[in-house]
């Protein structure tokens, strides 16, 4: 597991850190070829969320989210985005490539592992597919999360 991934796991909600570590380790073990998993986004501040929401609306660029600050599961530490790192250096979001030649796209090998642990994949969403996105099932309702009290570190108490 690379340093960016470890750093992003450390900022997730404490209740999912160990599980995400296990998932990434399983994905990396399943990908026996040139690809490994990197978490590209984990916990996102409300300010970061607002900046992303403005993109394609009031700021240049393509729309990348429909969630305002507080409306993303990333804001509560229960969501991650991933990419594949090929040969330790090149980022890939190719969901069809089979880098380890086992006749299963590497991305889908990881989708299955995430699902085994109860994580939903943004690739299954109907309206706004978000292929790099995974969030923890049962903890992916921002309306409910936004009503919870915070602990001393700023995480919702579940």
């Amino acid at each position: 597991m690379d340093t960016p991934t470890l750093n992003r796991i450390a900022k997730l909600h404490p209740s999912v850190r160990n599980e995400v570590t296990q998932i990434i380790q399983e994905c990396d073990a399943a990908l026996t070829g040139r690809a490994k998993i990197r978490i590209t986004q984990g916990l996102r501040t409300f300010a970061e969320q607002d900046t992303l929401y403005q993109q394609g609306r009031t700021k240049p660029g393509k729309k990348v989210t429909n969630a305002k600050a507080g409306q993303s599961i990333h804001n509560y530490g229960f969501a991650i985005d991933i990419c594949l790192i090929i040969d330790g250096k090149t980022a890939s979001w190719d969901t069809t490539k089979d880098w380890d030649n086992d006749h299963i796209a590497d991305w889908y090998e990881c989708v299955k592992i995430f699902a085994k642990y109860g994580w939903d994949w943004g690739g299954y969403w109907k309206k706004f597919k978000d292929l790099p996105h995974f969030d923890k099932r049962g903890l992916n309702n921002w309306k409910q999360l936004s009503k919870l009290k915070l602990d001393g570190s700023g995480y919702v108490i579940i």
Side-chain angles (χ1 to χ4, degrees), residues 77-108:
F78 295 112
I80 63 168
D81 295 338
I82 67 165
C83 73
L84 298 176
I85 297 295
I86 312 307
D87 297 328
K89 57 187 173 198
T90 305
S92 172
W93 287 268
D94 187 336
T95 60
T96 62
K97 184 72 175 160
D98 178 18
W99 296 99
D100 55 7
N101 298 313
D102 63 359
H103 307 292
I104 303 169
D106 290 359
W107 201 277
Y108 288 97

Side-chain angles (χ1 to χ4, degrees), residues 3 23 27 49 59 62 73 79 94 145 147 152:
T3 300
I23 291 168
C27 288
Q49 189 67 39
K59 296 196 174 177
K62 179 183 172 190
I73 303 308
D94 187 336
L145 291 171
K147 295 176 185 174

Side-chain angles (χ1 to χ4, degrees), residues 8 16 61 63 69 129 132 138:
R8 290 175 181 125
V16 297
K63 286 183 185 178
K129 294 204 182 287

Side-chain angles (χ1 to χ4, degrees), residues 50-63:
D50 270 339
T51 299
L52 279 178
Y53 183 78
Q54 292 167 5
Q55 186 176 320
R57 291 176 175 85
T58 59
K59 296 196 174 177
K62 179 183 172 190
K63 286 183 185 178

